[in-house]
Amino acid sequence: MKDYLVKAIAHNKQVRAYAAITTETIEEARRRHDLLGVASVVLGRSMTAGVILGAMLKGEEKLTIKMNGGGPIGTILVDANAKGEVRGYVSNPHAVPGLNQQGLLDIKAAVGTNGILSITKDIGLNHPFIGQVPIASGEIGEDFASYLLQSEQVPSSVGVGVLVNPDSTIQAAGGFIIQLMPNTEEETIRLIEERLQTIPSISSMIGEGITPEQILQQLLGEENVSILEKSPVQFQCECSRDRISNAILSLGSEEIQDIIYTDGQAEAQCHFCNESYYYNREDLETLLKVGI
Ligand SMILES: [Zn+2]
């Protein structure tokens, strides 16, 4: 099944809901960055949340998530947009986690809870919109729920999950965000809370190969959900040789001459997708002479 996201409304438009399966997207991130277990879970959960937040944007709008809780994973950076494209990295893809009291990977300790989750939205205005909250849980999902409540004043339930195979590949990844509109009745809130407490965790749902539509039906009750839209999700980086060439040109001709004399070559790597761009002497001389 290709990755995709669905948007829905529920309970007579009192509730907005999103769900996505992101298995292939997170597997591509794992492969590109050589992520090991805990880093796959941390980046996978963050990218899945990013994809869903991206689906709340329009047209060319985009957002950047930055999280650093002081744990061994370091900084988590994710870019997402309204087209279902997402990319991201963590500073330490090989972070070695401890186990928590349940004998599971200790995600909270890997992320750390001493820092900030910040989301920068570029919605085409002169200044980007920046929202920040302290990292309270380190489990990612709850931190995004806290961001949505505190920074955007929308009560939300966020569930993101990543299952890793014994050989480190991604078995399944996905998540949901459910949001209450200002007019939501007490009775609806009670129904949703009750259901959220009794349904299986997002990790066990995705482990069974569930679709995004089924996630929302399980969460909210099939009879309450209307699916509005279905759209593809993928790992996509906007780096290119032209962009890297521009970055090299911005060093100035003196600096480039210096690289030609000392190293005779240059290699640049994109943080987001780990793609390498190589320039030999001739490439650099051409850049200097004619630009890109
Ligand atoms: Zn890239």
Side-chain angles (χ1 to χ4, degrees):
M1 183 173 74
K2 282 262 173 226
D3 291 347
Y4 68 93
L5 173 142
V6 293
K7 294 183 193 178
I9 46 167
H11 293 286
N12 294 323
K13 300 185 185 170
Q14 297 176 58
V15 175
R16 209 161 43 190
Y18 305 80
I21 290 294
T22 55
T23 310
E24 287 185 12
T25 306
I26 307 309
E27 172 58 20
E28 178 157 358
R30 183 207 63 80
R31 191 174 49 73
R32 285 182 172 274
H33 296 297
D34 191 28
L35 302 169
L36 291 183
V38 74
S40 290
V41 175
V42 169
L43 184 59
R45 286 185 187 180
S46 307
M47 284 175 63
T48 301
V51 157
I52 300 176
L53 291 177
M56 299 173 189
L57 301 175
K58 294 185 288 290
E60 298 300 314
E61 297 174 358
K62 51 189 178 180
L63 60 86
T64 298
I65 296 162
K66 191 174 178 188
M67 206 169 168
N68 190 328
I73 282 286
T75 298
I76 305 158
L77 215 79
V78 172
D79 269 0
N81 62 26
K83 301 169 195 160
E85 297 168 342
V86 63
R87 59 180 189 167
Y89 66 90
V90 295
S91 358
N92 186 2
H94 297 154
V96 178
L99 298 182
N100 62 19
Q101 285 173 342
Q102 289 83 44
L104 302 169
L105 291 176
D106 196 338
I107 306 304
K108 179 178 187 156
V111 172
T113 50
N114 187 18
I116 297 284
L117 161 63
S118 85
I119 300 185
T120 306
K121 285 187 189 171
D122 177 356
I123 50 172
L125 304 172
N126 283 340
H127 299 288
F129 169 84
I130 304 174
Q132 292 189 329
V133 288
I135 298 173
S137 114
E139 296 276 350
I140 317 278
E142 286 169 38
D143 295 301
F144 279 91
S146 150
Y147 164 84
L148 288 165
L149 181 63
Q150 292 181 44
S151 191
E152 302 196 2
Q153 284 78 48
V154 187
S156 309
S157 173
V158 182
V160 279
V162 176
L163 298 176
V164 181
N165 289 316
D167 67 357
S168 288
T169 56
I170 304 301
Q171 184 199 329
F176 66 85
I177 296 183
I178 294 177
Q179 302 196 301
L180 303 180
M181 300 295 95
N183 62 348
T184 310
E185 291 160 9
E186 286 300 321
E187 176 62 11
T188 309
I189 298 176
R190 194 186 58 76
L191 274 175
I192 292 172
E193 282 175 349
E194 237 174 56
R195 258 194 115 91
L196 286 176
Q197 276 163 12
T198 53
I199 55 148
S201 71
I202 182 68
S203 296
S204 47
M205 281 197 257
I206 57 170
E208 288 171 7
I210 197 169
T211 65
E213 289 89 340
Q214 288 166 334
I215 293 176
L216 295 184
Q217 287 161 358
Q218 284 227 22
L219 288 170
L220 295 161
E222 199 173 342
E223 65 284 8
N224 301 318
V225 182
S226 314
I227 305 288
L228 300 177
E229 208 181 309
K230 177 176 165 177
S231 49
V233 167
Q234 59 181 331
F235 187 104
Q236 182 76 46
C237 191
E238 55 189 36
C239 70
S240 65
R241 195 168 172 90
D242 279 0
R243 280 179 186 240
I244 301 286
S245 298
N246 264 323
I248 293 175
L249 277 174
S250 72
L251 296 171
S253 53
E254 214 166 295
E255 179 79 24
I256 299 173
Q257 282 290 2
D258 199 45
I259 296 172
I260 294 173
Y261 288 129
T262 51
D263 298 330
Q265 58 178 339
E267 193 176 356
Q269 209 157 24
C270 172
H271 281 304
F272 278 100
C273 68
N274 227 14
E275 200 71 46
S276 282
Y277 294 89
Y278 179 76
Y279 294 78
N280 61 21
R281 179 183 299 272
E282 208 178 305
D283 295 333
L284 291 170
E285 282 167 351
T286 312
L287 256 189
L288 260 187
K289 256 186 252 155
V290 296
I292 56 170

